[in-house]
Amino acid sequence: MALQLGDDAPNFTAETTAGPIDFHAYLGDGWGVLFSHPADFTPVCTTELGTVAKLIPEFDKRNTKVIAVSVDPIDSHTRWLDDIEDVTGARPEYPLIADPDRNVAMTYGMLHPNASATATVRSVFVIGPDKKVKLTLTYPASTGRDFNEILRVLDSLQLTAKFQVATPADWRAGDDVIITTAVSNEDAAARFPGYTTVKPYLRTTSQPG
Ligand code: BEZ
């Protein structure tokens, strides 16, 4: 069955462009983003990997390691990095996993046979410090991902892991948040003084922390 939210993120060892890794050891105590690519030397993937390389300072701010996977072999990956740098001006220094035996792709359910018999879809897994799956996204090969959305989700996941709040539609870091229904009005008054009641079930407050 496909990996679901709250499941353990399976560990694996793999060859990558940054050398051999043990996935959980690579993530350490922080957050992680594992994302798959259909194939090397393909246009959308080239733009995606360069975009992520440019966003590494933003992932660092969020104590988040990124790691990409494609089923092509390591020598292909290494040659592709030159092209990515050439096209986007940014060379991925984060690891790109070579997965020719499809071990990672199968473990994480990145092969969707009705979409493609051989190439992975564009999957994203956000993994928490407890090594549990916190978010999954699946895009078709034809649609490049918005990695600023992944950063936005990380902001929400990290905030809501710390405080009993949820984030509304289109929320951005710094916007008001929703106090979860698990918090009584009495507790809300103590923890989020001056909170606003829009409806009895919808109470908002400024972003804590
Ligand atoms: C791409 O990255 O452009 C791509 C890869 C596989 C199928 C379609 C597009």
Side-chain angles (χ1 to χ4, degrees):
M1 194 170 85
L3 279 174
Q4 298 186 327
L5 302 190
D7 287 355
D8 291 326
N11 197 21
F12 56 82
T13 55
E15 285 300 318
T16 82
T17 50
I21 61 142
D22 173 286
F23 182 49
H24 283 184
Y26 169 70
L27 296 182
D29 296 331
W31 291 71
V33 176
L34 169 68
F35 58 108
S36 60
H37 293 276
D40 291 4
F41 298 102
T42 49
V44 177
C45 298
T46 299
T47 62
E48 285 194 323
L49 283 173
T51 294
V52 172
K54 289 179 196 164
L55 287 174
I56 290 300
E58 292 300 320
F59 285 104
D60 286 347
K61 275 188 215 160
R62 292 160 177 82
N63 191 25
T64 301
K65 297 265 184 64
V66 298
I67 184 163
V69 57
S70 158
V71 297
D72 289 312
I74 198 77
D75 60 313
S76 163
H77 282 5
T78 308
R79 282 184 285 113
W80 188 29
L81 293 184
D82 293 337
D83 271 13
I84 295 164
E85 185 174 14
D86 194 25
V87 170
T88 68
R91 187 179 187 86
E93 304 291 348
Y94 55 89
L96 171 56
I97 297 165
D99 194 32
D101 59 5
R102 291 159 172 63
N103 174 40
V104 176
M106 299 288 279
T107 304
Y108 275 82
M110 294 163 168
L111 287 163
H112 295 203
N114 291 327
S116 166
T118 51
T120 61
V121 292
R122 298 186 195 281
S123 300
V124 182
F125 293 87
V126 176
I127 294 153
D130 57 0
K131 306 291 181 292
K132 304 260 187 220
V133 175
K134 304 296 182 187
L135 173 122
T136 64
L137 287 173
T138 306
Y139 281 56
S142 51
T143 303
R145 287 157 286 198
D146 179 348
F147 287 92
N148 283 300
E149 167 61 4
I150 311 293
L151 293 170
R152 191 193 74 86
V153 166
L154 277 165
D155 286 339
S156 173
L157 289 170
Q158 294 181 353
L159 183 73
T160 59
K162 212 162 158 193
F163 300 97
Q164 278 188 295
V165 297
T167 58
D170 296 332
W171 176 86
R172 296 277 179 284
D175 290 353
D176 285 359
V177 300
I178 292 167
I179 302 167
T180 67
T181 51
V183 180
S184 68
N185 285 341
E186 197 179 24
D187 281 351
R191 283 197 241 166
F192 309 107
Y195 76 85
T196 302
T197 303
V198 182
K199 292 280 179 189
Y201 58 84
L202 173 50
R203 298 163 300 170
T204 61
T205 186
S206 52
Q207 180 180 320

